[in-house]
Every structure is written in C-alpha cells, then in structure tokens.
Amino acid sequence: MKKRILIPTTIIIIALLFVLYYFLTIPKLELNAMDPLEKYTYLTENDVLESIDEQASRYSSLEIFIQNKDEWIPFDEYNQWLRNEHPSIEFDQEGLPLFDDVHVQLRVKSRFFTDSKEMEIKVVDTIAPTLTVLYGKEDLVAESSLVFLEGVKLEDVIKTSAIDQYFNLPRNIEVTSSVDMSAPLEYGNNLTVVFETKDESDNTTSITVNIEVEKKLEIIVPSTTEVTPPVQTNNDLATGDLNRVDVLVNKKNALPSDFVPNLTTFPSGYAISDGYRGTQETVNAFVSLVDALKSETDLWMYVTSSYRSYQSQSELYNSYVKNNGQAEADRFSAKPGKSEHQTGLAIDLVTPGGSMWDFASTPQSDWLKVNAHKYGFILRYLEGKEHITGYMYESWHIRYLGIDLATNVYNSGLTYEEYLGGS
C-alpha cells in the first residue's frame, strides 16, 4: 500500500493568497518630476517613461496620452495630429514637436484594475538667437574694430541678419542698431555700434563694433585759383586704343581728359562701400582674387579706390599739392590724365579695419605678392623702383593686365616700364 503524500493546509492557503494578490492587487504608478524641456525640440515616449518609478516596469500594459483641450489622445495619434496641423514645417526628427507646455497622462493596468497619473511638462526657450554682422564676407564678432572714410553709410557696408531657432526652419527676426545706419559717417566722430536681436522669449544676442572715421581726401575740392596741370600726351597713347588692357599710363604717357572706359560696379562686399567701378575684366578678376584669398587664408580685403575720372584726379592731386607741396605730392599722386585709375584697370586695397598706409605689413599683402599674377594683376609700384616708375612704393596699388601678361611681368621681376623696354 502506497504512502499518501499530504500537502499541509497552511501551504495551500498561502498559495491561494499569493494568487489572489497577483490578480487583484491594484497597480501603483509613481511619477518623478521632469526638468523643463527646450522649446522647438522633440518629446519622445522614452523621455516620458524615464519619469516613471521603477516599480511600474513590471506592468506590461502602459500607455501615454496627451491632453488636447478636454480630451486625452494616445501619444502617437496626437503626434500625427499636431504635425498635420503644421504642414508648412518639415519636422526632421521623431517625437512630439514641442511648441508649448505638454499635459501628459500615463495609464498602467493589471488584470482587473487601472491606475493613472498626470503631469505637466514645462517647455522653455533658453537658446539665444543667432546674430550675423557681415562686413563684406567677414563675419564680425564682439568688439570688432573697423576703419571707414568719412561719408560712408554703414547700411552700405555692413549687413546684418538674425535667426531664431524653430525646429529645422529657423525664423528671421529683427536686428536693431544703436546708431542711424543711414547717416553718413563724419570725420572725427568715432562710434561704438551695438547690434542686437531679441527673440519672443527675450533671449538676446548682441555684437559691438568700434568704428574709426578717417578723412577722405578725394572729397576736397580745389579753390578756383588753382590751375589744373596741363596734359602732356604721348602721340602713340593718344592715337592708340586706350581701352587695351596693356595700355601704359605713367608720367610720360597721359590719357585725354575726355577718356572714360567701359565701367561696371564692384559687387557689394568687395569694396568699402557701394559705387566703386572698374572695367568688367578688372572687376571679375578682383572678385576671383579675393575669393581665392578667402578660401586659402580666411582673410579678406576691399577696394578703397578704383576708377577716377580726369576731374576727380585733378581735385585729388591739387589737394595733395596744397597739403604736402608739389614735390612730395608728385611721389605718390599722379597729375590728371596720368593716373592709372582713369583706365579703370587700377585698384587700391585696404584690409578690414586697416588703411592703405599699413597694407604692406599685413598677411594680405604677403599673399598678394606671390598670387596676384594668377588672377591677372601686378603690383605696379615696386619697392626700390621709384626712379623708374616715378612713384614711391605702393603695396596697396595693383594693376590689371590679364593673366598671361601679368604672369610674364611677375616672372621677369621687372617693373611694367622695364618690361615694355623703358616706355
């Protein structure tokens, strides 16, 4: 006879109680507070789940709902509805786009019972807008310093823009200036200009630019008692094609007073202000040259003087004579008709925040010495060659000849007069 195995009554009771507990226990759902989330980013289900106390993980059925007015909508359905409400925005990430505070409800179920908890997720905008202040292609930073000639309008030489974060479609917002950008600069009136932009959440970005204003001698008009120096014209130059790119203009070879080349304007950002002109070939070549400088060195430079008419050169020359005496003026300024600037092929250069007079000490000048010919330019008045060119060394003055001729002159190591055989 087999021995019967008896299960103690106590064990049976304990087992039944355990089963009853498993099936009847009400689930417990506890939420931890969430830190504010950044506006115009995305809320994922995982972000919400991280706020749940660990004990909730034992429940297999857990749902997330978002409040829409008086209705609770499942997370995925609300996400799709919200995206449909903004068809113009190309959302670039998964998750719920955060425009404003979000009210969330979490529900967890056991076999017989459901527990739910609600929480508010705060949304804040703490990202300051991006402010860009451009001088040409140079992106200015705080406490930048620039030098301009009197008469320049800041709105012509400095461009500003600002964008505010808005998912993957940043919005343009207003930029304000502490000075009147449309007012011509006055000599001696140095400025500290503050550019500022502010978004809807009062996040602010500002850039301060210090501006020094120099005197522009070109605007000095000679008195009526001054006499325009006579033009001494070389016959070959007078009768030849004055629009030739290889035309030689110097103290011996003068242009007629009525000669005006075919001109075009330098693009905005390539000169210290709008309105500077040169021949089409000169302008195109200079743009290529400066773009190459930027690409290779991240530096920039500007046209500060280009085409000048016969009359403008007369006024400039007379002002130099008046202020410096004729002997000294003749070393760095041409008499009317004898200036390369009248050809539209000559350019004077300046660096951002610098002046012509310190151009020789800049890295732009070093780069120009070995690269100008690649874009059709030569340094016209070389150091130590004043007895040949008639003018002092001018590191800032370049002359367009076309790539082939400029390269030949550069390789020869000669001045243009020497290269042409002492013309």
Side-chain angles (χ1 to χ4, degrees):
M1 184 174 181
K2 294 184 177 179
K3 187 176 181 182
R4 180 177 296 178
I5 301 175
L6 299 177
I7 301 174
T9 303
T10 303
I11 296 177
I12 294 174
I13 293 173
I14 292 174
L16 290 173
L17 290 173
F18 180 81
V19 172
L20 185 63
Y21 174 83
Y22 179 82
F23 284 103
L24 298 182
T25 299
I26 297 175
K28 300 296 183 181
L29 183 61
E30 298 295 336
L31 302 181
N32 300 316
M34 288 184 65
D35 293 331
L37 299 180
E38 188 64 47
K39 196 172 184 179
Y40 306 129
T41 56
Y42 298 83
L43 173 68
T44 67
E45 290 181 299
N46 285 335
D47 294 330
V48 178
L49 294 177
E50 287 178 358
S51 68
I52 302 175
D53 192 79
E54 290 183 1
Q55 63 173 316
S57 64
R58 61 193 174 101
Y59 298 105
S60 59
S61 178
L62 192 151
E63 298 176 293
I64 303 172
F65 294 82
I66 306 296
Q67 187 177 39
N68 184 17
K69 298 181 179 178
D70 296 328
E71 184 180 7
W72 291 100
I73 300 175
F75 185 95
D76 289 339
E77 291 182 22
Y78 182 77
N79 186 11
Q80 189 58 53
W81 172 84
L82 188 60
R83 289 168 179 258
N84 292 339
E85 285 290 296
H86 300 275
S88 63
I89 302 176
E90 185 179 345
F91 298 106
D92 60 346
Q93 293 183 31
E94 298 294 327
L96 187 69
L98 293 176
F99 291 90
D100 213 333
D101 297 346
V102 179
H103 295 270
V104 179
Q105 184 185 81
L106 291 95
R107 300 175 188 173
V108 63
K109 297 180 181 179
S110 67
R111 183 175 296 271
F112 300 108
F113 297 94
T114 299
D115 187 25
S116 65
K117 288 289 189 298
E118 297 176 11
M119 67 175 176
E120 182 181 29
I121 299 177
K122 302 296 290 183
V123 175
V124 296
D125 180 8
T126 63
I127 298 178
T130 301
L131 172 61
T132 301
V133 180
L134 289 177
Y135 174 38
K137 290 191 175 181
E138 181 185 6
D139 197 348
L140 301 180
V141 296
E143 300 303 326
S144 295
S145 296
L146 299 174
V147 178
F148 292 118
L149 298 178
E150 60 181 336
V152 170
K153 296 179 181 179
L154 292 181
E155 65 181 6
D156 293 332
V157 293
I158 294 180
K159 307 300 180 183
T160 62
S161 62
I163 56 175
D164 187 29
Q165 180 187 5
Y166 191 70
F167 300 108
N168 67 329
L169 291 174
R171 296 175 292 187
N172 293 320
I173 57 177
E174 182 184 8
V175 179
T176 60
S177 168
S178 61
V179 302
D180 182 1
M181 298 282 285
S182 64
L185 296 177
E186 298 180 3
Y187 173 62
N189 185 20
N190 298 334
L191 303 173
T192 297
V193 185
V194 179
F195 299 97
E196 184 175 275
T197 185
K198 182 184 295 185
D199 65 18
E200 295 175 350
S201 302
D202 288 335
N203 296 308
T204 303
T205 303
S206 63
I207 292 178
T208 300
V209 180
N210 298 307
I211 295 176
E212 180 181 349
V213 185
E214 291 187 344
K215 194 166 186 61
K216 184 178 181 181
L217 292 178
E218 284 90 334
I219 65 172
I220 299 176
V221 179
S223 68
T224 55
T225 59
E226 292 179 297
V227 179
T228 299
V231 180
Q232 298 177 2
T233 306
N234 175 287
N235 289 335
D236 290 339
L237 186 58
T239 59
D241 182 0
L242 304 183
N243 284 297
R244 285 172 57 100
V245 73
D246 61 351
V247 63
L248 175 65
V249 177
N250 57 17
K251 290 188 174 182
K252 296 180 181 179
N253 299 334
L255 293 165
S257 60
D258 60 353
F259 172 71
V260 179
N262 297 319
L263 298 169
T264 190
T265 303
F266 286 89
S268 179
Y270 289 83
I272 60 170
S273 60
D274 293 339
Y276 285 84
R277 296 181 296 167
T279 67
Q280 183 69 65
E281 297 85 352
T282 304
V283 171
N284 292 344
F286 182 71
V287 169
S288 297
L289 180 147
V290 176
D291 286 348
L293 171 68
K294 176 68 174 178
S295 175
E296 294 178 21
T297 68
D298 203 32
L299 299 171
W300 197 256
M301 57 187 176
Y302 303 93
V303 174
T304 190
S305 184
S306 53
Y307 166 74
R308 288 199 292 265
S309 68
Y310 182 95
Q311 181 60 32
S312 294
Q313 187 63 35
S314 175
E315 294 170 359
L316 180 62
Y317 175 79
N318 283 329
S319 71
Y320 284 140
V321 170
K322 180 179 180 179
N323 293 322
N324 301 278
Q326 183 166 347
E328 183 62 21
D330 285 342
R331 294 187 60 231
F332 60 84
S333 181
K335 295 176 181 178
K338 299 184 178 182
S339 170
E340 283 196 324
H341 287 283
Q342 191 180 343
T343 67
L345 300 167
I347 301 171
D348 290 338
L349 302 171
V350 68
T351 60
S355 67
M356 289 192 314
W357 313 108
D358 61 16
F359 187 80
S361 62
T362 66
Q364 286 90 330
S365 176
D366 295 336
W367 184 90
L368 198 66
K369 290 176 183 178
V370 296
N371 289 284
H373 64 283
K374 300 174 184 177
Y375 303 91
F377 293 94
I378 62 169
L379 275 67
R380 183 66 176 87
Y381 305 122
L382 301 178
E383 193 168 11
K385 298 288 187 174
E386 183 174 345
H387 62 289
I388 297 172
T389 64
Y391 297 104
M392 58 180 278
Y393 171 50
E394 293 187 0
S395 60
W396 59 85
H397 182 103
I398 59 176
R399 160 68 191 276
Y400 182 70
L401 292 175
I403 293 176
D404 291 341
L405 181 55
T407 300
N408 290 338
V409 174
Y410 171 78
N411 289 335
S412 73
L414 303 174
T415 65
Y416 192 37
E417 280 83 2
E418 291 173 306
Y419 179 85
L420 295 178
S423 298

